[in-house]
């Protein structure tokens, strides 16, 4: 067997316990073969590993899951800050995105992939454009992803609007299973207010017939809630249910302004919510009721959103923000505790995206990150789970493994040329801004 062994560290187990253990990985299958003492792992794999990763002084955790982002927006990092969502989109982001080329999207996606690998993220969900180029970047990077073309029909004539819907459906059909099966897809209307009802109904019906899951922004701001209430006399989640966009394989981003009836409806439908605390704070969108969602049984994951509204793709930052903001939203210091946000960033994210991963146990996919605990800001280690939520940073990740393949060893990204990726993205971003300013 061609296997990898992660040795000498402590391991975060699915039940939240942390134990000293080695992890043996079958690299051919991309799965975890055994987790246990060195002798137990020796017995399971029957000999020395072909490759080892040193985890001494470190914590081995499931690869983190960034369950909602627009990864190529790395090119717009810091481009437009300190504005509310609607004018930020209409005045800055959408005009810039209108100038994006497929090459730009690929450059931004590769930059995002490097950033995520270096901060221990092994899987992500992405809603954007030129998704064939994003899938290519995912393939080269060695990551896992659920991808979809984002649909916006406002401001478009009927032909263009319908073409946008059809493109999202075509992308979902054609890219599913790419990157040796690491890429899965979804139908991704941008939101319930930026896609007209006729097009939503048609797209959702086709997606349902094809067995394609649905991902959209929902209840992100009051501006996404009030028009639906005023025009339809119902809340957005009820509207989603009416058009058959609320199902157990679907996942909605944000869910900031959901009332109790919507929380219960999400729980009953089995639809996951992706919490994006940094973006929600930066755009002053509000505080999602994460504790209430979790208590109701809703699967809650974490997402960074795009780097233009965060401004990074570091899920460790998101864990800390989620815990802090969750306590404020609930007015309860015990709400959204450390263990909860770690679960949201790992198993919760994998479950929300219906992707394998999120757990370190025999038979699970080998998506792992090794976090170096030997740092002043992580000393002493009274509780390693607490450190993951409140003190660790993406830069503390030492090794990253996805599907049994080592993507980063001792902070060196192995699957992409990080320096060349960064240079290409910087040039693409400069040229993009020049085109926007001259348009």
């Amino acid at each position: 067997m061609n296997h990898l062994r992660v040795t000498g560290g402590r391991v975060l187990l699915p039940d939240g316990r942390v134990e000293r253990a080695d992890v043996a990985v079958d690299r051919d299958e991309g799965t975890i073969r055994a987790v246990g003492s060195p002798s137990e792992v020796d017995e399971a794999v029957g000999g020395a590993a072909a490759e080892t990763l040193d985890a001494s002084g470190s914590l081995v955790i499931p690869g983190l899951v960034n369950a909602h982002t627009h990864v190529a927006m790395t090119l717009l990092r810091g481009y437009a800050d300190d504005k509310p969502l609607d004018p930020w989109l209409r005045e800055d982001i959408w005009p810039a995105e209108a100038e994006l080329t497929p090459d730009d999207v690929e450059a931004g996606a590769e930059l995002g992939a490097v950033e995520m690998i270096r901060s221990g993220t092994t899987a992500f969900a992405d809603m954007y454009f030129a998704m064939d180029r994003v899938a290519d970047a995912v393939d080269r990077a060695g990551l896992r992803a659920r991808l979809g073309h984002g649909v916006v029909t406002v401001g478009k004539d009927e032909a263009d609007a319908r073409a946008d819907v059809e493109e999202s459906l075509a992308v979902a059909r054609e890219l599913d299973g790419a990157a040796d099966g690491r890429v899965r897809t979804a139908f991704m209307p941008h939101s319930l207010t930026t896609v007209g009802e006729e097009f939503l109904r048609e797209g959702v019906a086709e997606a349902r017939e094809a067995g394609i899951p649905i991902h959209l922004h929902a209840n992100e701001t009051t501006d996404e809630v009030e028009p639906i209430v005023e025009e339809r006399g119902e809340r957005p989640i009820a509207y989603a249910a009416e058009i058959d966009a609320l199902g157990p394989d679907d996942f909605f981003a944000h869910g900031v302004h959901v009332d109790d009836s919507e929380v219960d409806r999400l729980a009953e439908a089995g639809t996951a919510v992706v919490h994006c605390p940094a973006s929600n704070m930066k755009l002053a969108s509000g505080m999602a009721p994460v504790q209430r969602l979790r208590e109701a049984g809703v699967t809650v994951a974490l997402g960074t959103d795009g780097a233009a509204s965060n401004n990074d793709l570091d899920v460790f930052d998101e864990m800390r923000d989620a815990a802090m903001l969750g306590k404020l939203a609930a007015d309860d210091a015990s709400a959204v505790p450390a263990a909860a946000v770690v679960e949201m960033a790992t198993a919760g994210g994998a479950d929300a995206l219906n992707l394998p991963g999120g757990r370190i146990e025999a038979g699970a996919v080998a998506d792992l990150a090794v976090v170096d605990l030997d740092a002043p800001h992580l000393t002493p280690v009274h509780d390693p789970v607490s450190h993951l939520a409140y003190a660790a940073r993406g830069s503390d990740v030492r090794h990253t493994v996805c599907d049994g393949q080592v993507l980063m060893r001792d902070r060196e990204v192995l699957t992409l040329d990080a320096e060349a990726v960064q240079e290409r993205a910087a040039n693409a971003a400069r040229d993009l801004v020049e085109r926007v300013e001259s348009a």
Side-chain angles (χ1 to χ4, degrees):
M1 181 181 68
N2 177 18
H3 66 275
L4 168 74
R5 187 158 168 172
V6 185
T7 66
R10 288 188 283 177
V11 178
L12 177 62
L13 300 174
D15 62 5
R17 290 181 299 119
V18 173
E19 291 189 354
R20 191 164 298 281
D22 284 3
V23 180
V25 171
D26 184 333
R27 293 195 292 190
D28 293 330
E29 297 295 328
T31 58
I32 296 170
R33 182 70 178 269
V35 180
S37 67
S39 61
E40 289 171 334
V41 170
D42 281 341
E43 183 177 354
V45 300
E51 182 178 1
T52 61
L53 286 177
D54 181 14
S56 57
S58 303
L59 180 64
V60 185
I61 67 171
L64 302 179
V65 180
N66 186 350
H68 176 72
T69 189
H70 314 283
V71 69
M73 290 183 82
T74 50
L75 297 189
L76 297 174
R77 192 195 319 265
Y79 173 70
D81 296 320
D82 309 321
K83 298 176 75 171
L85 177 62
D86 191 63
W88 176 77
L89 283 172
R90 296 178 185 276
E91 297 168 12
D92 301 299
I93 299 304
W94 287 348
E97 288 179 334
E99 298 295 327
L100 282 171
T101 68
D103 285 347
D104 293 334
V105 171
E106 184 176 311
E110 282 195 338
L111 179 63
V114 168
E115 184 177 354
M116 287 189 283
I117 290 169
R118 288 177 63 86
S119 53
T121 289
T122 55
F124 67 101
D126 194 53
M127 175 194 290
Y128 217 55
F129 326 112
M131 297 311 292
D132 57 330
R133 306 294 282 272
V134 177
D136 288 345
V138 170
D139 190 11
R140 289 191 295 275
L143 291 167
R144 195 181 303 279
R146 188 168 288 276
L147 307 179
H149 169 83
V151 178
V152 175
T153 66
V154 293
K156 296 178 180 177
D157 63 28
E158 182 174 350
D160 287 343
R162 186 156 280 111
D164 207 14
V165 171
E166 287 304 318
E167 181 172 357
S168 188
L169 291 164
V171 163
R173 293 187 182 100
E174 294 166 9
L175 293 183
D176 197 45
D180 296 322
R182 298 193 314 277
V183 166
R184 302 304 309 273
T185 58
F187 173 55
M188 296 193 182
H190 179 266
S191 77
L192 298 169
T193 55
T194 54
V195 180
E197 180 178 352
E198 174 187 1
F199 305 112
L200 271 173
R201 288 187 182 276
E202 291 177 4
V204 167
E206 285 195 46
R208 289 288 180 246
E209 184 176 352
I212 299 169
I214 295 162
H215 176 47
L216 51 80
H217 299 79
N219 300 57
E220 182 176 359
T221 66
T222 55
D223 289 339
E224 286 188 352
V225 175
E226 291 170 357
I228 294 173
V229 173
E230 291 171 2
E231 293 170 15
R232 307 183 60 86
E234 62 183 349
R235 302 278 303 179
I237 302 304
Y239 174 35
E242 182 187 331
I243 62 173
D244 196 25
L246 196 69
D249 295 328
D250 305 327
F251 58 109
F252 291 178
H254 299 289
V256 175
H257 298 279
V258 287
D259 68 9
D260 285 347
S261 70
E262 291 179 296
V263 171
D264 292 340
R265 192 183 286 266
L266 287 162
E268 291 166 8
T271 303
V273 171
V274 185
H275 180 37
C276 303
S279 176
N280 293 342
M281 288 190 287
K282 188 183 180 206
L283 297 171
S285 299
M287 298 185 289
V290 173
Q291 185 70 13
R292 170 76 174 90
L293 286 162
R294 286 178 56 85
E295 288 173 349
V298 176
T299 296
V300 181
L302 290 181
T304 60
D305 212 345
S309 64
N310 187 302
N311 289 10
D312 61 49
L313 303 179
D314 187 346
V315 176
F316 284 97
D317 284 353
E318 229 58 41
M319 283 193 273
R320 180 182 174 90
D321 289 344
M324 302 295 195
L325 194 61
K327 298 174 193 309
L328 283 177
D331 193 25
D332 180 359
S334 69
V336 196
V341 295
V342 172
E343 190 274 337
M344 288 158 58
T346 54
D351 292 348
L353 303 188
N354 198 20
L355 292 176
R359 298 164 180 86
I360 299 178
E361 58 187 353
V365 293
D367 293 5
L368 312 168
V370 179
V371 181
D372 188 352
L373 299 177
D374 185 17
H377 65 280
L378 297 174
T379 303
V381 186
H382 295 302
D383 180 351
V385 174
S386 170
H387 276 4
L388 291 176
Y390 296 120
R393 308 164 184 164
S395 57
D396 295 317
V397 175
R398 184 176 173 187
H399 315 300
T400 303
V401 177
C402 182
D403 203 41
Q405 308 307 307
V406 180
L407 310 187
M408 180 176 74
R409 174 191 285 272
D410 290 321
R411 299 295 298 162
E412 180 186 359
V413 177
L414 304 179
T415 52
L416 295 170
D417 182 336
E419 184 176 342
V421 165
Q422 189 171 328
E423 181 179 2
R424 178 189 180 193
N427 290 336
R430 183 196 63 238
D431 294 345
L432 172 63
V433 172
E434 289 178 358
R435 293 197 302 274
V436 173
E437 290 177 347
S438 62

